Amino acid sequence: MESSNYSSGALSIRLRQADEPLPLPLLLIGNRAYGSVERYAEYCRWWLAEYENRIIGICGILQRSTEEWEIVNMAVSPEYSHQEIGGQLLIEVLDALRAADAGKVTAGVRSSCVDMLAFYQEHGFRMVAVEQDYFAGLDQQHVGNKVCSCDRIMMERVWPDAVKQRRPVVMSHFHASVSIRIAQIRDAGPLLRMKKRLDQQTTYMLLEPGERMMNEAEQRDMIRYALRSANSNIFLAERDGQIIGYLEAMGGKVSRNRHSAYVVIGVLQEYANRGIGRRLFQTMLQWAQDRELHRIELTVQSANERGIHLYRSLGFRMEGIQKNALLVDDQYVDLIQMGLLL
């Protein structure tokens, strides 16, 4: 329903104040999964559209890296739809990000939301990727009577002149062929298979061969959770289209530990000792600093000397020993607790 007496001149757009409560009904229009909203709400920068002392529009922006931001939630009250409020709000947000030297802004749109796809394109966004089955198992929307939309379209707005010049890095052929990237929904199956293979290759992972009960749907949910979280992420090392290593950084879920993240890392044995673990950590640490995380922690078996050496070289410090914490090949093994303050 449209408002018949709405006046655009009376609309104000402003940043949310630190102690100002978020309008939950509006947030749930933009994202109906309350648990997902909870994970990123306090980490976002929020713009509010206010009319007659009422918040009628909202846009939440999450910083993904030094130069990249993501629109994670955007909504306008239904009674004020088709009044170009969303357009005014988005223009204000984009202007602010551009002034802050942002190089890229992204947004994810359900593939069935034709109006939103058109809306972002009208404001300079382009479709750059499709994440198949991103919404599988969630609040699936139906088009017509039979068609169910589970895919997410990634939109991107780039300011090329904001991309900073970087000095070229000289790499060996092997290192140049290995890329580090963030896990996407489509990676669930290959990542799970890689983990199961790794369980068979080394005793330094927690699970023994055959103990990993996670299925592909659960791995997909874990990736989806990380993508929607402000303090969690999953990084992949990939070579020739094959996942050869991963690093999971899972942030705390309550107010008192959201500043920290627990790390699990694994690299296939045929690619071990080639700097892949270090590259995964360096990428993760840059992300953690961008997220303003304060603490990264992990545990490592006392016999894993190479792992301990890597972590120390990255700045981790030993904080404690869990005596006889694991039973590996009928032998008790100590776990070393390590932490890094950023």
Side-chain angles (χ1 to χ4, degrees):
M1 180 178 67
E2 299 183 15
S3 175
S4 58
N5 57 2
Y6 165 74
S7 172
S8 61
L11 180 73
S12 65
I13 297 174
R14 60 178 176 82
L15 273 171
R16 168 185 173 250
Q17 299 177 12
D19 58 349
E20 186 175 4
L22 286 168
L24 183 59
L26 270 180
L27 292 179
L28 295 180
I29 293 175
N31 186 337
R32 285 181 287 176
Y34 177 70
S36 176
V37 172
E38 259 193 327
R39 289 196 292 273
Y40 60 70
E42 70 174 86
Y43 294 93
C44 286
R45 187 177 299 180
W46 295 96
W47 275 262
L48 305 175
E50 192 171 33
Y51 180 68
E52 296 183 342
N53 297 318
R54 178 189 171 196
I55 305 301
I56 63 172
I58 191 167
C59 182
I61 306 292
L62 182 65
Q63 189 172 16
R64 289 297 184 187
S65 68
T66 305
E67 298 175 356
E68 181 179 345
W69 296 73
E70 180 184 355
I71 299 173
V72 295
N73 195 311
M74 185 168 184
V76 173
S77 295
E79 61 265 39
Y80 291 94
S81 62
H82 308 296
Q83 302 283 2
E84 298 185 359
I85 294 171
Q88 295 180 60
L89 181 57
L90 181 59
I91 289 171
E92 187 82 13
V93 170
L94 293 177
D95 286 347
L97 293 179
R98 187 69 184 90
D101 293 327
K104 178 167 64 175
V105 183
T106 63
V109 181
R110 191 185 290 263
S111 55
S112 60
C113 295
V114 179
D115 290 345
M116 288 302 295
L117 292 172
F119 169 76
Y120 280 115
Q121 289 180 89
E122 289 170 0
H123 290 86
F125 285 73
R126 300 290 300 273
M127 300 182 194
V128 294
V130 178
E131 296 180 354
Q132 296 183 357
D133 296 327
Y134 180 87
F135 297 103
L138 300 179
D139 56 329
Q140 299 178 4
Q141 292 181 345
H142 292 264
V143 181
N145 295 321
K146 298 181 180 179
V147 180
C148 177
S149 172
C150 297
D151 300 339
R152 183 170 77 154
I153 308 296
M154 289 306 299
M155 313 286 291
E156 184 178 279
R157 168 73 184 266
V158 177
W159 293 285
D161 58 316
V163 177
K164 299 176 181 178
Q165 296 295 323
R166 296 178 174 86
R167 296 178 61 183
V169 179
V170 178
M171 296 183 179
S172 67
H173 174 73
F174 172 79
H175 284 93
S177 67
V178 175
S179 60
I180 308 296
R181 62 178 178 83
I182 294 173
Q184 303 298 318
I185 299 298
R186 64 179 182 275
D187 297 313
L191 176 56
L192 182 58
R193 290 190 290 273
M194 180 266 180
K195 287 180 176 179
K196 291 181 176 180
R197 183 179 171 192
L198 193 57
D199 292 338
Q200 297 175 336
Q201 291 185 340
T202 177
T203 59
Y204 291 148
M205 305 303 292
L206 178 61
L207 300 180
E208 294 186 353
E211 280 192 332
R212 194 175 294 273
M213 295 293 102
M214 175 182 284
N215 58 39
E216 188 169 331
E218 291 168 333
Q219 179 67 77
R220 185 164 55 243
D221 288 343
M222 185 177 181
I223 295 174
R224 183 186 290 113
Y225 173 89
L227 288 170
R228 290 293 85 199
S229 171
N231 65 345
S232 299
N233 221 333
I234 301 174
F235 301 89
L236 303 180
E238 187 177 58
R239 186 182 190 222
D240 298 331
Q242 177 190 3
I243 297 173
I244 62 174
Y246 76 101
L247 184 151
E248 295 171 350
M250 292 294 129
K253 296 182 180 180
V254 298
S255 179
R256 291 181 176 179
N257 69 356
R258 283 176 182 160
H259 64 281
S260 67
Y262 182 82
V263 168
V264 175
I265 186 173
V267 176
L268 291 176
Q269 289 301 288
E270 56 266 40
Y271 297 102
N273 305 315
R274 304 184 75 168
I276 296 173
R278 181 175 297 276
R279 288 183 61 192
L280 283 165
F281 261 101
Q282 289 171 338
T283 303
M284 180 275 296
L285 291 174
Q286 180 61 60
W287 162 82
Q289 289 174 337
D290 290 341
R291 295 281 72 71
E292 296 185 352
L293 296 183
H294 180 61
R295 173 180 168 82
I296 307 297
E297 60 187 43
L298 56 84
T299 57
V300 55
Q301 293 183 30
S302 57
N304 188 356
E305 295 180 358
R306 287 175 176 169
I308 294 171
H309 175 76
L310 170 64
Y311 308 146
R312 280 177 166 169
S313 71
L314 291 164
F316 283 80
R317 295 292 179 262
M318 296 177 61
E319 298 177 334
I321 299 177
Q322 302 174 29
K323 300 295 292 184
N324 295 350
L326 301 179
L327 184 63
V328 180
D329 293 337
D330 297 323
Q331 298 291 324
Y332 288 109
V333 175
D334 297 343
L335 272 182
I336 298 175
Q337 173 76 42
M338 303 188 77
L340 171 64
L341 301 183
L342 301 177

